[in-house]
Amino acid sequence: MWKFIVRRIIITLPQILLLSLFVFLLAQLMPGDALTGLVDPNLDPAQIALQRERLGLNNPWYVQYYDWITSALQGDLGQSFRYKMDVTDIIAQRLVNTFWLSLLTLIFTYMIAIPLGITSGRFNDTFRDQMIVGYTYVGFATPLFIFALLLLWLLGFNFGWFPTGGSVQPGLTPGTLDYVLSKLHHLILPALSMALITTVSTVQYLRSEIIDTKQKEFILTARAKGASESRVYNRHIFRNSLLPIAALFGFEITGLIGGTVFIERIYSYPGMGLLLLESISQRDYSVVVAVVLLFGIASIIGALLSDIILSLVDPRIRIK
Amino acid sequence: MNELKLDVKKEKKAHRSQSGLNILWREIVRDKLALVSLIFLAVITTTVFVVSGLLDLNEIVRVDLFAIYEPPSENFWLGTDYGGRDIFGQLIIGTRNSLAIGFAVTLMTGIIGVSFGLITGYFGGQTDNMLMRIVDFFQILPFLMVVIVFVAIVPNYGIVEFSLIMTGFLWMGIARIIRSKTLQERELDYAQASQTLGTPRWKIMFGQILPNLSSLIIVTMTLNLAANIGLESGLSFLGFGFPERMPSLGTLLSYATNPQTLENRWWIWMPAAILIFLLMLSVRNVGEALKRATDARQRRG
């Protein structure tokens, strides 16, 4: 058990190293370097050349990579020339927003998936089940960004129930109840539109899992022992079907990463995804590199999590 | 002598009726939803390609400042955008571009993925181990971010570059599927027998194993096509797909990022949204029917 987890973590480290190398080489391909945005173009070229030498920009790439990775490990990801701030500070601000968005999306996803999955698994091939299956069928084919646009148009603009952009109403002091409520109000629509689309795979999975479990022999035993129908479903079937769903949790994180870029763009929600898009169009490449690296690490950790949870759930995987 | 030959032919014909492609076709015809979807796709594709051949691209993307944001009327069937450009014409050209890039990327990822999967699966062992690490590496990359960065930094960015970038980061899925199937297939009697007879390896791989995987390849590629159309429109929506002088369904939708357009000028983005949805839905319908056909237990026909 522990052997598997340790082995799996050991595989993750070179993956992250490889990712950082890839991102670094990508950064080398980008026009300009750390100095381009910082210095006055009217400065004496000899001076600039001196600065370049001092900052180590003329070193061979592997030396530069080593310098970059060691400072990145210490939390120094360079300077953003647009904000004139440390990249780490900008990202820290934005990361909080994206974190809350993702958390609320995950909560919504499971709040929708579990009741729907259970209903449609328990009463399969009834009218209710057909409705739910119809929803997953449409949800599977709908691209996230179209659905989010439609929801924003309908609930944000036409009905005016929700704010149409930003993460908080301006003019409120952080820490007050109003501030928290306003934040939540801004979060609900983006999180809901993402959850309604990402949840369909979990609903489908839970449904087929419950239908499978229903026919197992231990359920027959439970019924023979006289367990009530609700006990059979809530204790015996639900618990056994939930384990594989837990394993999907890691993949859920990977899916969220791509989704937040679209959602944050549509709802102009100031998170990491919007930061990436803004930085690219403004050619603020030190931020771009940092964001891509962080997103990449997050998706590697997502895969790691699902493998570990899967190994807890299914012992056969551990043996390999 | 002649009679015997005829018999062999008949025999062959009887067997052919059970071939993979035939089963796929039968399943589609039996599944009414898939049949309707396929007809819809065929109609849309031909209409779009024929009509866009008749339309003049320069006429459509020409800016006309006297006709900005016109609602649908007789002159402009679906109104105009912020540059006074006809939305209907853009929709036709956009659908053509989206479909074309969808087909191109699916085909290219298919060719790379299938050859990669066949080679890793057939050789197995150390080769397989090493080549699969390459696939693993590509799979840990955050696809959307990497593509956006590439699109931003590639010089002389155009359609060819765009489809190559998409292909470069999308071939792993099909490669994995083909590899695992090839691993099973090479252990079967026909492949083993062929090897014993001294058939060259490339001939076994591409001449004997490949035809046996054909239905799987068709299914995977159909489902990939739906995904690729969605990805392309998503990237174009974010502004990292087609350049603006080449309208696609995604660029039409990206006009909706302007709140006023989203709120008051539905005719600009709504038709494109509906069209993307219908296209993806019908390609998926066909793909799901094909998928059922490859699994004898689920077959309806």
Side-chain angles (χ1 to χ4, degrees):
Chain A
M1 176 63 224
W2 285 108
K3 234 166 98 186
F4 173 80
I5 293 182
V6 170
R7 209 164 6 147
R8 186 62 185 75
I9 291 175
I10 290 173
I11 298 175
T12 305
L13 291 176
Q15 278 183 345
I16 292 181
L17 205 68
L18 213 61
L19 175 80
S20 74
L21 189 65
F22 179 76
V23 172
F24 174 79
L25 292 177
L26 214 59
Q28 297 296 97
L29 289 176
M30 293 174 187
D33 54 38
L35 211 60
T36 324
L38 290 174
V39 296
D40 184 358
N42 299 325
L43 214 66
D44 180 20
Q47 277 287 322
I48 298 179
L50 206 68
Q51 281 291 328
R52 290 180 64 88
E53 188 60 46
R54 195 179 64 78
L55 287 170
L57 294 175
N58 293 333
N59 290 340
W61 67 271
Y62 46 89
V63 178
Q64 285 196 48
Y65 172 70
Y66 178 77
D67 290 343
W68 177 74
I69 197 79
T70 41
S71 58
L73 282 175
Q74 290 158 7
D76 175 18
L77 288 161
Q79 278 251 324
S80 152
F81 83 82
R82 184 161 62 108
Y83 294 97
K84 307 282 179 233
M85 274 167 78
D86 276 349
V87 174
T88 326
D89 294 337
I90 304 171
I91 286 184
Q93 286 172 10
R94 299 297 191 97
L95 196 60
V96 180
N97 282 334
T98 299
F99 172 74
W100 288 119
L101 177 64
S102 317
L103 187 69
L104 200 64
T105 308
L106 278 179
I107 293 174
F108 278 146
T109 305
Y110 287 105
M111 263 169 57
I112 299 166
I114 290 176
L116 287 191
I118 290 177
T119 323
S120 107
R122 179 168 175 179
F123 306 105
N124 62 317
D125 298 331
T126 60
F127 178 67
R128 266 184 285 181
D129 175 45
Q130 280 167 359
M131 294 293 287
I132 294 169
V133 169
Y135 159 63
T136 57
Y137 166 74
V138 173
F140 241 119
T142 317
L144 173 66
F145 67 102
I146 292 183
F147 184 69
L149 269 179
L150 216 60
L151 225 55
L152 175 65
W153 178 66
L154 201 67
L155 299 184
F157 283 109
N158 279 6
F159 291 133
W161 291 350
F162 294 100
T164 54
S167 74
V168 71
Q169 201 183 324
L172 293 172
T173 35
T176 57
L177 185 65
D178 277 349
Y179 183 81
V180 177
L181 283 180
S182 165
K183 276 228 152 187
L184 201 63
H185 196 203
H186 281 79
L187 268 176
I188 289 177
L189 194 57
L192 195 65
S193 53
M194 186 148 54
L196 279 171
I197 293 296
T198 49
T199 200
V200 291
S201 54
T202 319
V203 174
Q204 276 192 343
Y205 208 74
L206 193 57
R207 175 180 184 269
S208 54
E209 199 64 38
I210 287 182
I211 293 176
D212 268 1
T213 320
K214 254 183 5 189
Q215 294 151 354
K216 294 262 168 70
E217 280 177 356
F218 67 88
I219 299 301
L220 205 67
T221 317
R223 285 223 173 86
K225 273 164 47 186
S228 70
E229 197 67 357
S230 67
R231 197 185 155 83
V232 168
Y233 273 98
N234 294 337
R235 304 294 296 270
H236 296 262
I237 295 181
F238 181 56
R239 272 185 162 184
N240 278 293
S241 318
L242 208 57
L243 289 174
I245 302 296
L248 281 177
F249 178 73
F251 293 115
E252 215 64 76
I253 294 178
T254 325
L256 278 178
I257 289 169
T260 50
V261 177
F262 287 105
I263 292 291
E264 287 173 7
R265 176 91 183 86
I266 290 166
Y267 293 94
S268 36
Y269 181 84
M272 294 274 281
L274 197 60
L275 181 68
L276 174 78
L277 296 178
E278 287 168 357
S279 309
I280 283 196
S281 55
Q282 311 242 357
R283 308 194 162 265
D284 194 353
Y285 287 123
S286 44
V287 179
V288 173
V289 169
V291 174
V292 174
L293 184 66
L294 280 184
F295 272 135
I297 291 176
S299 62
I300 291 177
I301 290 177
L304 172 73
L305 269 182
S306 23
D307 276 3
I308 290 181
I309 299 174
L310 261 174
S311 79
L312 293 176
V313 172
D314 190 346
R316 277 171 303 179
I317 292 170
R318 261 179 264 156
I319 299 165
K320 270 201 277 184
Chain B
M1 199 63 204
N2 209 3
E3 216 169 320
L4 195 73
K5 221 175 181 180
L6 212 79
D7 261 346
V8 171
K9 258 188 181 167
K10 235 183 191 171
E11 201 73 354
K12 261 189 171 171
K13 220 176 177 183
H15 279 283
R16 187 161 290 163
S17 72
Q18 282 300 319
S19 81
L21 296 182
N22 236 315
I23 291 171
L24 294 186
W25 176 242
R26 234 179 29 213
E27 180 73 19
I28 287 196
V29 175
R30 294 275 162 82
D31 184 351
K32 287 291 168 289
L33 193 62
L35 189 63
V36 171
S37 303
L38 191 66
I39 293 170
F40 170 76
L41 276 178
V43 168
I44 287 279
T45 314
T46 43
T47 318
V48 161
F49 276 90
V50 169
V51 174
S52 68
L54 302 174
L55 290 174
D56 184 5
L57 180 67
N58 289 325
E59 187 65 28
I60 286 163
V61 296
R62 201 188 59 204
V63 176
D64 179 2
L65 293 177
F66 293 105
I68 294 176
Y69 287 136
E70 288 217 16
S73 64
E74 259 175 49
N75 265 341
F76 305 105
W77 288 354
L78 282 170
T80 56
D81 68 358
Y82 72 94
R85 291 171 288 199
D86 182 27
I87 296 289
F88 182 74
Q90 286 195 57
L91 196 66
I92 295 283
I93 305 253
T95 314
R96 186 199 63 182
N97 287 347
S98 288
L99 281 176
I101 202 114
F103 283 123
V105 171
T106 312
L107 202 67
M108 285 195 288
T109 49
I111 292 171
I112 297 175
V114 168
S115 346
F116 197 93
L118 274 177
I119 291 167
T120 45
Y122 187 74
F123 284 103
Q126 212 51 38
T127 323
D128 177 46
N129 225 336
M130 258 155 49
L131 289 175
M132 282 319 277
R133 294 292 82 78
I134 299 176
V135 174
D136 284 347
F137 169 68
F138 272 95
Q139 282 206 315
I140 59 165
L141 296 176
F143 169 78
L144 194 67
M145 291 47 189
V146 173
V147 169
I148 287 176
V149 171
F150 259 98
V151 167
I153 62 175
V154 162
N156 303 328
Y157 177 70
I159 296 197
V160 180
E161 283 80 4
F162 178 51
S163 47
L164 285 180
I165 291 170
M166 270 185 81
T167 308
F169 296 99
L170 280 175
W171 55 271
M172 299 85 67
I174 190 165
R176 284 191 99 110
I177 295 172
I178 297 300
R179 171 215 171 229
S180 63
K181 197 74 187 161
T182 312
L183 277 176
Q184 297 169 13
E185 205 75 16
R186 67 163 184 173
E187 300 299 332
L188 295 184
D189 286 343
Y190 76 90
Q192 298 281 9
S194 200
Q195 201 170 10
T196 320
L197 286 173
T199 319
R201 280 168 167 168
W202 62 268
K203 223 173 191 170
I204 301 178
M205 276 190 273
F206 291 96
Q208 295 169 355
I209 293 181
L210 184 66
N212 277 300
L213 300 180
S214 59
S215 48
L216 180 72
I217 293 171
I218 291 172
V219 171
T220 320
M221 279 176 62
T222 315
L223 291 175
N224 280 354
L225 177 65
N228 290 342
I229 292 175
L231 277 174
E232 178 277 319
S233 57
L235 281 165
S236 299
F237 170 76
L238 291 175
F240 297 97
F242 277 95
E244 198 177 322
R245 65 195 143 78
M246 297 289 299
S248 93
L249 292 176
T251 51
L252 277 173
L253 267 170
S254 71
Y255 293 143
T257 49
N258 174 352
Q260 262 129 34
T261 304
L262 181 64
E263 190 180 357
N264 302 319
R265 296 185 276 265
W266 57 268
W267 61 85
I268 294 180
W269 58 274
M270 193 76 95
I274 294 172
L275 206 54
I276 294 178
F277 173 71
L278 286 180
L279 281 178
M280 283 182 67
L281 200 66
S282 43
V283 177
R284 265 190 67 86
N285 281 339
V286 175
E288 290 293 327
L290 293 178
K291 200 174 171 184
R292 268 201 314 275
T294 51
D295 184 355
R297 281 168 304 174
Q298 295 181 11
R299 227 173 272 161
R300 287 183 191 171

